[in-house]
Amino acid sequence: MESKIFQSFLGEKGLKLTKERIAVLKEVFSSHEHFEPEELYLRIKDSGSKASRASVYRTLNLLVESGLVEKVTRTEKSNVYEHTFGHSHHDHMICNGCGKIIEFYSEKLEALQNEICRGNGFIGKTHTLEIRGNCEKCIKAK
Amino acid sequence: MESKIFQSFLGEKGLKLTKERIAVLKEVFSSHEHFEPEELYLRIKDSGSKASRASVYRTLNLLVESGLVEKVTRTEKSNVYEHTFGHSHHDHMICNGCGKIIEFYSEKLEALQNEICRGNGFIGKTHTLEIRGNCEKCIKAK
DNA sequence: ATTTAATTGATATTAAATCTCAATTTCAAT
DNA sequence: ATTGAAATTGAGATTTAATATCAATTAAAT
């Protein structure tokens, strides 16, 4: 099923379904665990298929683009920091169009998160919530 | 005020308050914008103070440890992926003690996030919520 | 089967972050 | 204020993830 989706994604973009891309896709969907590119590369090797590191990285980007795979941790080119002392906690909305960052805070949201943690026997210390989408300006611009 | 806190943090660890660390701290708290290490390094240079890249990186780690600064994007050593097709959306709790990852989903939470987005004229497409803290086992182990 | 454009892989490159270590600086104890 | 031990600094080397290069190969439409 996911291979059908990937195939039509590639088709629409004029890209080809190669042995290597199939090998990556297969290995990615062989388990539901989180994984890192290097680890995936080794697993593919062990499984008897083959795809170079370069192809693994390239295919992962395609899989994310197709929506079949997501990055669990959204990394930018480098780490991003902010000073927090003297400022209350807040979360972020980031516009995919223009990069605008909206900071927001919701008492209700914090309370709900704590409640969910409690339900899992978990004590939350910190959290980051990042919502990606489109801001008002960019919505209108379309 | 933040310098007092940093000073006592350093004191407790037997570390010293140096010109370079002061310069980094000052620049970090000179604005409320998000920043990257390289950018901070250049700003310090421009401001007439001086601290090497190495010191900027080292001091940032100390500031995070002290709680005065936070990473906006939590990066691991490398990107972490998961396949999502065939699995409903979920968020993550990550235990600081043992690294255990708990996946959870809450209809209520999703609804509340959408409501908050609407209130900001924002249309959320995707989001990542990562709660860091301690799992049941690690709490008991203490 | 042929052709054309995409793909591959080995290697080079880039870039963020950390490490090394001799020279310097901090700061507590005099 | 001086001293001395331990921490810190900076320049450059190193590490590591990820991307770029490019000749050889391969997919797939005709």
Side-chain angles (χ1 to χ4, degrees):
Chain A
M1 189 58 203
E2 56 268 11
S3 63
K4 287 274 177 216
I5 294 176
F6 193 42
Q7 195 162 9
S8 67
F9 166 81
L10 292 174
E12 278 167 31
K13 302 203 67 166
L15 304 179
K16 293 168 182 174
L17 187 64
T18 65
K19 298 193 244 333
E20 290 81 1
R21 285 176 180 163
I22 292 169
V24 172
L25 180 71
K26 210 173 140 190
E27 195 60 42
V28 164
F29 276 88
S30 71
S31 116
H32 185 39
E33 299 303 308
H34 297 172
F35 61 90
E36 296 175 14
E38 177 69 14
E39 177 203 336
L40 185 68
Y41 165 71
L42 294 174
R43 276 167 47 197
I44 290 169
K45 229 172 156 184
D46 284 350
S47 80
S49 308
K50 66 199 192 60
S52 67
R53 275 192 184 81
S55 287
V56 169
Y57 277 104
R58 285 187 285 230
T59 305
L60 277 175
N61 285 335
L62 289 172
L63 286 169
V64 169
E65 208 186 324
S66 77
L68 289 169
V69 168
E70 279 182 21
K71 275 191 191 177
V72 172
T73 52
R74 309 291 178 91
T75 59
E76 308 296 319
K77 273 189 188 170
S78 67
N79 288 335
V80 178
Y81 297 84
E82 67 182 339
H83 70 248
T84 47
F85 177 73
H87 298 275
S88 51
H89 162 77
H90 58 260
D91 295 302
H92 299 95
M93 298 178 195
I94 303 179
C95 178
N96 289 330
C98 63
K100 183 183 178 185
I101 298 178
I102 300 173
E103 298 181 350
F104 69 92
Y105 174 79
S106 159
E107 196 78 58
K108 244 174 150 180
L109 190 65
E110 303 290 317
L112 184 52
Q113 284 181 24
N114 285 334
E115 193 185 308
I116 294 168
C117 283
R118 239 178 291 129
N120 283 275
F122 195 88
I123 296 182
K125 292 271 172 59
T126 61
H127 71 260
T128 47
L129 168 61
E130 187 180 300
I131 303 179
R132 297 257 175 182
N134 287 101
C135 74
E136 209 154 15
K137 261 192 189 170
C138 287
I139 294 167
K140 281 180 185 161
K142 284 183 195 170
Chain B
M1 187 61 204
E2 55 268 11
S3 63
K4 285 275 177 216
I5 293 176
F6 193 43
Q7 195 161 11
S8 66
F9 166 80
L10 292 173
E12 278 168 29
K13 302 203 66 164
L15 303 179
K16 292 167 182 174
L17 187 66
T18 64
K19 296 195 245 326
E20 289 82 1
R21 285 175 180 163
I22 292 169
V24 173
L25 179 71
K26 209 173 141 191
E27 196 59 41
V28 164
F29 277 87
S30 71
S31 117
H32 184 40
E33 298 304 307
H34 297 172
F35 61 90
E36 296 176 14
E38 177 69 14
E39 178 203 335
L40 185 68
Y41 164 70
L42 294 174
R43 275 168 46 197
I44 289 168
K45 229 172 154 184
D46 285 348
S47 79
S49 307
K50 66 197 191 63
S52 65
R53 277 192 183 79
S55 287
V56 170
Y57 277 103
R58 285 186 286 230
T59 304
L60 276 175
N61 285 335
L62 290 172
L63 286 170
V64 169
E65 208 187 325
S66 76
L68 289 170
V69 168
E70 279 183 21
K71 274 191 191 177
V72 172
T73 53
R74 309 292 178 90
T75 60
E76 307 296 319
K77 274 191 189 169
S78 66
N79 288 335
V80 176
Y81 296 86
E82 68 181 339
H83 69 247
T84 46
F85 175 74
H87 298 274
S88 51
H89 162 77
H90 58 260
D91 295 302
H92 298 96
M93 297 177 194
I94 303 179
C95 178
N96 289 329
C98 63
K100 184 182 178 184
I101 297 177
I102 299 172
E103 297 180 350
F104 68 93
Y105 175 78
S106 159
E107 196 79 57
K108 243 173 151 180
L109 189 65
E110 304 291 317
L112 183 52
Q113 284 181 24
N114 284 335
E115 192 185 307
I116 294 169
C117 283
R118 237 177 294 130
N120 282 275
F122 195 88
I123 297 182
K125 291 272 172 59
T126 61
H127 71 260
T128 48
L129 169 60
E130 188 180 299
I131 304 179
R132 296 258 175 182
N134 287 102
C135 74
E136 210 155 15
K137 262 191 188 170
C138 287
I139 294 168
K140 281 180 186 161
K142 282 183 196 170

